[in-house]
Amino acid sequence: MIELSSLVKTYPASGQRGGRPGRRGARRDDAAAPGEPEAQEELRARQDRTAGARARRGAPQGVGEVRALDDVSISVPAGDVVGVVGPSGSGKSTLARCVNLLERPTSGRVVVDGEDLTAMGPAGLRAARRRIGMVFQHFDLLGSRTALGNVALPLELAGVDRRERERRAAELLDRVGLAEKAGARPSQLSGGQQQRVAIARALAARPSVLLCDEATSALDPASTAGVLALVRELRDELGLTVVVVTHEMDVVRSACDSAVLLERGRVVDEGRLSEVADRPGSPLASRLLPPPPPAPLREGSALLQLVVTGGTEEPVLSALVREHGLDVAVVGGRVEHLGGRRSGHLQLEVLGGAAERAPRLRAATAALRERGVLVESAP
Amino acid sequence: MSALADLLPLAPQLAEATRETLLMVAVATGLAVLGGVPLGVLLLLTAPGGLAPHRVVHRVLGLAVDLGRSLPFIILLVAVAPVTRAVVGTTIGSAAAIVPLTIGAVPFLARLVETSLREVAPGKVQAALSMGARRRDVVRAVLLPEAMPSVVASCTVTVVALVGYSAMAGAVGGGGLGDFAIRYGYQQFRTDITLVTVALLLVVVQLLQQLGDAVARRLSHR
Ligand SMILES: Nc1ncnc2c1ncn2[C@@H]1O[C@H](COP(=O)(O)OP(=O)(O)OP(=O)(O)O)[C@@H](O)[C@H]1O
Ligand SMILES: [Mg+2]
């Protein structure tokens, strides 16, 4: 259980950029609004990485400061996997790093499992951090230690004796499928293997919370899928509360129960994935379920675009055909499983001349709406 | 031909001078590591944005270290003579030379160590902090082990520099190969003796460098 209330984090702005507050962020976001936000976000993230800069983007800046987090309040129930998404520089990493106070918020409260970390002294905070595991984008394993030695480090820091920590580290390596790599150095492991060692390390001290900051961003698709599946399994086994920071919507779709969208340090949308489809057009829906581009239609036909949600499990298509006498063809769409629920868009072409079709289509859309099916566009 | 025969009678003195040089360098290196490594750690920790940022301490240490490094060794040698006398009781001989050698080497090594530690990826430190590490845990379990190959290389550079300094210390009565070269080579116009001494110093330096490289290689994480 993680409760963040009214978190604000400001950094002193570096002299260079201070003079032109916010301009850049504002323009970039406007440009990203239409089209495919996900692709643009990925592109932006990549540009930022190649630029090698921790450039200030997004956050509105007061005089001489960058507001990385601006009054952020979120609550993550125990056992939930929450995805934190948003454009580069929106404050995602800062948010994750505030949960274990690697970054101390300027104001606001961080409560994990009922304990207020922001009110703790150094010793209390160190103890609390042991209950919060963290996994980073670049794994950050120690080259001076073997895989086993890396996993044992948190236990060493907690004062667990040698025999016990090696036993537990071996057990964890086995759990992440790397038992035979116990003696290998990080440099002898693939990226996916290194990240699994890092996850084992993060879990060594039996935390209740796992923070992942872009944990799969340096991995290829197959390793990403493996690592995400592992995180979900571990969540199920250990009841972990997981925060997944990512710029990849696919990570959210495949691994999360809920999502928080940050922009310029503010929460602009949040919700459970299973309910995202019910709010077509909302910021999260347009990112997680981008509407398909309008399909080309035959002369005289009309487009009927439906939102696929749990409710669409009813035999919608046959109803259109049988009860309303419409001729329909599927021309486009995209259906995903979000939070265990079918979600997406379906584009139907309604055939026939406008004259006889129009009244039937009107009746059909009304009936669909009656049944709780969201109709996005109908003539 | 005859040069070698001329040198033979001096062999015992040469052997003694080599022993003195090795002793001076060995002891000074040991003391320099004892002083320079912690000082390097302190420089890193107190730096702005470090684990224990402290502007005043950082500036004072930085200034002292840079003063030590910018002072020509020959001047340092003379300047610390009172300290040497207080510690060793005399300013003549190899034991006395160890004092200025150490004082010269500590700031030199401290900066090198600071640089080595700075190379450790900040993410590794962050990872340790996220596990609840104290600052001293970070130094002991992350910074020093991760930077060890580079720290060893820094020590090698320091040893080699100390061989050079020790020759200079010899010139003002510190004993060792420098003293030998001056006494029997330079002052008696015996270029051959000077050359032999230089060759011997080169061999010593080469051996030390190779030893350092070998140790660094053993410790490297690849
Ligand atoms: N140590 C710092 N000093 C100054 N500004 C910082 C610092 N860390 C982050 N910022 C600023 O805070 C804002 C949020 O940064 P943050 O790293 O949280 O973004 P992010 O959403 O994780 O971005 P990305 O997707 O590129 O990782 C940015 O404007 C960034 O420049
Ligand atoms: Mg980030």
Side-chain angles (χ1 to χ4, degrees):
Chain A
M1 175 82 165
I2 305 171
E3 289 162 290
L4 309 176
S5 30
S6 316
L7 284 194
V8 174
K9 175 69 189 179
T10 59
Y11 292 108
S14 78
Q16 243 184 320
R17 282 267 177 85
R20 290 162 48 202
R23 269 305 284 132
R24 203 165 170 174
R27 199 171 52 234
R28 290 170 140 249
D29 278 43
D30 294 346
E36 292 172 31
E38 181 186 355
Q40 297 215 6
E41 244 160 60
E42 270 172 29
L43 187 66
R44 252 181 297 170
R46 213 169 303 138
Q47 282 165 347
D48 285 335
R49 264 168 253 290
T50 46
R54 260 189 107 70
R56 341 189 125 20
R57 307 237 150 96
Q61 300 166 19
V63 181
E65 71 178 25
V66 181
R67 232 162 225 266
L69 293 179
D70 191 1
D71 195 20
V72 170
S73 298
I74 56 175
S75 164
V76 188
D80 229 26
V81 182
V82 62
V84 178
V85 293
S88 186
S90 54
K92 307 183 293 292
S93 296
T94 308
L95 181 68
R97 296 160 54 81
C98 276
V99 175
N100 60 3
L101 255 62
L102 273 186
E103 215 73 73
R104 187 169 278 277
T106 314
S107 67
R109 270 177 9 126
V110 177
V111 178
V112 177
D113 292 335
E115 289 185 315
D116 185 351
L117 268 61
T118 32
M120 283 180 175
L125 181 57
R126 283 197 301 269
R129 279 178 177 164
R130 296 201 185 111
R131 281 170 257 131
I132 306 174
M134 191 160 189
V135 181
F136 303 82
Q137 178 173 5
H138 299 295
F139 329 133
D140 294 313
L141 298 173
L142 299 184
S144 52
R145 290 172 177 242
T146 60
L148 189 81
N150 270 287
V151 179
L153 178 60
L155 300 168
E156 192 180 315
L157 294 173
V160 175
D161 75 68
R162 190 189 184 85
R163 285 255 309 282
E164 170 60 15
R165 64 185 190 236
E166 286 187 353
R167 194 191 59 73
R168 170 111 181 106
E171 185 183 296
L172 274 159
L173 275 180
D174 188 36
R175 177 60 193 85
V176 301
L178 290 174
E180 79 284 11
K181 297 287 186 188
R185 295 286 171 139
S187 58
Q188 297 164 331
L189 300 175
S190 74
Q193 289 171 335
Q194 288 186 60
Q195 196 58 295
R196 282 190 278 155
V197 173
I199 290 171
R201 178 177 72 171
L203 297 178
R206 302 182 198 275
S208 60
V209 171
L210 182 65
L211 306 173
C212 306
D213 188 356
E214 305 278 8
T216 56
S217 300
L219 302 180
D220 62 69
S223 312
T224 296
V227 164
L228 292 178
L230 176 65
V231 167
R232 284 205 60 103
E233 281 168 35
L234 290 166
R235 189 279 304 262
D236 294 343
E237 267 171 52
L238 310 172
L240 293 170
T241 309
V242 186
V243 177
V244 174
V245 167
T246 183
H247 64 275
E248 291 165 317
M249 293 300 153
D250 266 333
V251 170
V252 179
R253 289 186 197 108
S254 60
C256 297
D257 302 311
S258 62
V260 173
L261 174 66
L262 289 183
E263 247 166 49
R264 293 179 233 174
R266 292 182 153 270
V267 176
V268 294
D269 198 5
E270 62 184 312
R272 303 204 67 76
L273 255 57
S274 54
E275 288 157 16
V276 160
D278 296 333
R279 304 183 282 125
S282 67
L284 268 179
S286 61
R287 281 168 177 77
L288 290 168
L289 300 170
L297 297 181
R298 272 165 276 189
E299 189 66 35
S301 301
L303 181 72
L304 178 61
Q305 182 165 318
L306 307 178
V307 175
V308 181
T309 65
T312 334
E313 272 137 28
E314 294 191 43
V316 171
L317 290 187
S318 51
L320 287 176
V321 177
R322 234 176 314 158
E323 293 168 24
H324 302 282
L326 292 173
D327 265 342
V328 297
V330 177
V331 289
R334 176 171 176 178
V335 179
E336 311 255 359
H337 273 266
L338 279 193
R341 223 170 142 216
R342 227 181 297 153
S343 321
H345 302 270
L346 186 62
Q347 290 175 329
L348 302 175
E349 181 183 32
V350 184
L351 304 167
E356 82 264 32
R357 185 201 59 212
R360 287 189 211 161
L361 187 51
R362 249 194 314 276
T365 16
L368 283 176
R369 290 206 164 101
E370 198 105 308
R371 288 180 173 195
V373 177
L374 291 165
V375 180
E376 279 188 301
S377 68
Chain B
M1 275 297 122
S2 70
L4 203 62
D6 290 345
L7 282 174
L8 268 178
L10 288 175
Q13 284 94 326
L14 188 61
E16 173 63 11
T18 309
R19 202 187 60 83
E20 281 173 0
T21 290
L22 290 179
L23 186 78
M24 276 191 287
V25 170
V27 177
T29 303
L31 294 174
V33 169
L34 286 181
V37 172
L39 190 54
V41 169
L42 218 55
L43 277 169
L44 182 84
L45 294 184
T46 56
L51 281 177
H54 195 298
R55 191 139 24 134
V56 177
V57 172
H58 187 70
R59 285 295 287 277
V60 169
L61 288 180
L63 209 68
V65 161
D66 289 339
L67 180 73
R69 291 193 311 151
S70 55
L71 224 55
F73 184 67
I74 197 86
I75 301 210
L76 184 87
L77 211 53
V78 179
V80 302
V83 181
T84 310
R85 191 168 297 117
V87 176
V88 192
T90 170
T91 58
I92 311 285
S94 324
I98 287 171
V99 176
L101 285 175
T102 305
I103 292 176
V106 164
F108 185 79
L109 182 59
R111 274 292 184 219
L112 291 177
V113 167
E114 183 199 4
T115 313
S116 302
L117 298 177
R118 207 176 282 284
E119 300 284 297
V120 175
K124 294 178 181 177
V125 174
Q126 296 280 313
L129 290 176
S130 80
M131 296 167 205
R134 289 163 300 189
R135 281 190 290 243
R136 76 183 95 125
D137 297 325
V138 174
V139 173
R140 179 189 55 77
V142 180
L143 290 175
L144 287 175
E146 288 296 296
M148 199 44 83
S150 169
V151 168
V152 167
S154 303
C155 291
T156 310
V157 173
T158 308
V159 182
V160 170
L162 275 173
V163 173
Y165 287 173
S166 77
M168 230 188 281
V172 294
L177 286 168
D179 187 28
F180 180 87
I182 299 223
R183 212 161 338 146
Y184 297 98
Y186 180 73
Q187 284 172 0
Q188 298 183 11
F189 307 105
R190 290 282 303 270
T191 315
D192 54 342
I193 290 183
T194 312
L195 285 177
V196 167
T197 320
V198 169
L200 208 56
L201 282 171
L202 185 66
V203 170
V204 168
V205 165
Q206 283 279 302
L207 287 177
L208 289 172
Q209 183 67 50
Q210 275 167 22
L211 181 71
D213 287 350
V215 173
R217 219 174 310 119
R218 270 296 294 279
L219 292 172
S220 115
H221 314 138
R222 267 155 277 282

